[in-house]
Amino acid sequence: AQFAKLAVSDLPPEELISKIEDIVDELRENSTSRMPITISQALEKQKQNIIENRDARLAGKSKYILTGLGDLDYILGGLKKSRFYVLGAPPGEGKSELAQDIAIKAARDGRTVLYFTREMPDEELAERHNVKLTNLSSQLQDTGDLSEEDWQHVDNQIETTKEWPLYIDDTTEGIGEISAMCTRFRRKGLDLVIVDYLQLVETGGKDNNDNSKRVATISRKLKALARREKVPVLALSSVHRGYSTRPGTSMKVSDLKYSGDLDHDADVVLMLRTVGDETEESLMCPHCGHLKTSHGRDGCTGGCTCNKQRFIEKILQVKKQRGGRTGSLNILFDAYKTIFVGETHSEESIVLS
């Protein structure tokens, strides 16, 4: 009856999709097709998980999706099925860059990744990927002043990435559409979903007029999506600017923008920030006066040898991990290649709590 009423309604497509999704979610919740299992059966399933983890380790592989950051993978064990991950950071701190690095690493490992971006169009995302994969700066791409070697790098990466199951969607706007697209990709063996970023996703309903309610709805549905599709879902989140006025620079989960339900829904919350004062001066090279992001392949372009100025030190905090350890780790951001480095695990760069 509910579907029949919607079929003849004159609701906008986005709101119609949202309402259908709500009905389907309610039907799933009320379904009795899956009976409860005994504790013995649950322990048997976990035993099988342990065996699979052991076999993957002995084969030099991972059952879970590795992020490419050794210290983060050490704390989390990789991105796990059915878990909802939130990565929060102030504007310009590199949360999109980190998410893109994770997507590229997963695709290189043969994992199917569905990357929803409301933050930037696919052309800009491709430009950023070119910087990461070919070392071509955005300035070179804008002018087209490439050498023969540069063009060869571009062609080689196009051929290489044809084998990567990394899909970019810059047109999907609503949470209902995101859910429907993931269902369509199930046949491709979907392994990872990334949403950049959470506060820009729409619900298509009245919640759109109330940011707190809208984010709460999106958070709840992304968590349900992770469980239904049995894949990790990584959602990026902006944070309130006010955190930087507090003594010290450590962020809290409550600093996530409209964080009310995010803290409850997320299985893991990650927070990214620059070490020290987050001022423009801290990103300036003291030798040449340019932003570190303008440095060339060998670091400073001002004639000096300050290669270290090419790298910006960041802190990635695991503020919450359901059933696991929390802590912080130091990582470096290569401002020229726009990638985070630190593939190997080092005990010295981790502080567990």
Side-chain angles (χ1 to χ4, degrees):
Q2 296 182 72
F3 286 117
K5 290 180 181 179
L6 290 175
V8 296
S9 71
D10 56 356
L11 293 172
E14 295 81 5
E15 188 170 349
L16 185 61
I17 291 171
S18 179
K19 286 187 176 297
I20 291 173
E21 184 70 20
D22 286 339
I23 294 171
V24 172
D25 285 344
E26 186 177 349
L27 288 172
R28 286 196 185 99
E29 290 173 4
N30 295 332
S31 172
T32 55
S33 59
R34 183 186 183 277
M35 296 299 292
I37 62 174
T38 66
I39 182 61
S40 176
Q41 290 171 317
L43 289 172
E44 188 64 38
K45 286 177 65 177
Q46 179 56 18
K47 176 184 176 182
Q48 188 58 39
N49 284 334
I50 296 172
I51 292 173
E52 291 175 3
N53 292 340
R54 179 203 61 192
D55 293 345
R57 177 178 56 80
L58 293 176
K61 300 179 181 179
S62 175
K63 178 183 172 184
Y64 306 115
I65 295 176
L66 299 180
T67 66
L69 294 175
D71 291 336
L72 182 60
D73 289 329
Y74 173 78
I75 296 177
L76 300 182
L79 304 183
K80 300 175 181 178
K81 292 181 178 180
S82 303
R83 289 202 171 190
F84 178 36
Y85 298 79
V86 173
L87 169 60
E93 280 294 340
K95 57 182 178 290
S96 293
E97 301 292 356
L98 181 53
Q100 291 162 31
D101 287 354
I102 292 172
I104 289 173
K105 166 63 176 172
R108 273 178 168 156
D109 290 343
R111 309 293 187 119
T112 300
V113 182
L114 190 50
Y115 194 111
F116 295 97
T117 172
R118 296 296 319 282
E119 175 75 348
M120 64 190 79
D122 56 9
E123 294 90 348
E124 184 178 347
L125 202 61
E127 179 183 298
R128 293 194 178 196
H129 282 189
N130 247 343
V131 176
K132 296 174 183 294
L133 300 172
T134 65
N135 292 354
L136 295 178
S137 68
S138 296
Q139 291 90 334
L140 279 177
Q141 293 183 66
D142 288 341
T143 61
D145 186 21
L146 275 63
S147 67
E148 288 297 323
E149 184 180 1
D150 290 333
W151 283 115
Q152 189 61 53
H153 284 317
V154 171
D155 290 337
N156 289 343
Q157 285 303 325
I158 290 174
E159 287 302 311
T160 298
T161 54
K162 284 181 179 178
E163 305 298 321
W164 295 0
L166 173 54
Y167 299 87
I168 300 168
D169 185 334
D170 68 344
T171 60
T172 296
E173 298 181 348
I175 185 62
E177 296 171 279
I178 288 175
S179 181
M181 184 65 72
C182 291
T183 300
R184 288 176 58 189
F185 264 74
R186 188 185 300 161
R187 293 187 295 273
K188 296 180 180 290
L190 186 60
D191 296 302
L192 172 64
V193 175
I194 298 177
V195 179
D196 184 7
Y197 61 92
L198 190 148
Q199 283 81 5
L200 291 179
V201 177
E202 299 176 4
T203 60
K206 295 179 180 178
D207 288 346
N208 265 339
N209 300 321
D210 186 317
N211 287 327
S212 296
K213 288 183 178 179
R214 178 172 57 83
V215 170
T217 297
I218 294 163
S219 173
R220 185 182 73 252
K221 291 193 173 185
L222 287 177
K223 183 177 181 67
L225 172 66
R227 296 193 63 180
R228 185 182 78 238
E229 300 299 334
K230 294 182 173 56
V231 298
V233 172
L234 171 63
L236 278 56
S237 173
S238 55
V239 302
H240 294 289
R241 295 179 182 272
Y243 93 90
S244 59
T245 63
R246 295 195 308 264
T249 54
S250 180
M251 286 182 284
K252 302 176 181 178
V253 175
S254 58
D255 289 317
L256 294 171
K257 214 165 187 178
Y258 314 120
S259 62
D261 288 69
L262 284 176
D263 185 11
H264 172 74
D265 292 334
D267 296 293
V268 176
V269 176
L270 307 171
M271 308 289 273
L272 179 68
R273 66 179 178 86
T274 301
V275 172
D277 295 332
E278 297 175 20
T279 62
E280 186 172 345
E281 288 74 17
S282 70
L283 302 180
M284 300 291 287
C285 173
H287 302 277
C288 68
H290 293 120
L291 283 172
K292 295 173 186 177
T293 51
S294 69
H295 282 175
R297 288 182 174 87
D298 299 319
C300 180
T301 56
C304 59
T305 57
C306 55
N307 200 37
K308 286 186 178 180
Q309 298 302 322
R310 165 174 162 174
F311 298 96
I312 302 170
E313 189 176 0
K314 303 274 187 177
I315 292 180
L316 183 61
Q317 296 172 293
V318 181
K319 302 297 289 188
K320 173 187 176 182
Q321 181 177 191
R322 202 182 304 277
R325 299 291 299 274
T326 58
S328 63
L329 53 127
N330 293 321
I331 54 178
L332 290 177
F333 178 67
D334 185 328
Y336 179 74
K337 292 185 178 180
T338 68
I339 60 175
F340 286 86
V341 294
E343 192 168 351
T344 57
H345 165 54
S346 171
E347 295 284 355
E348 296 178 354
S349 59
I350 294 182
V351 177
L352 293 173
S353 56

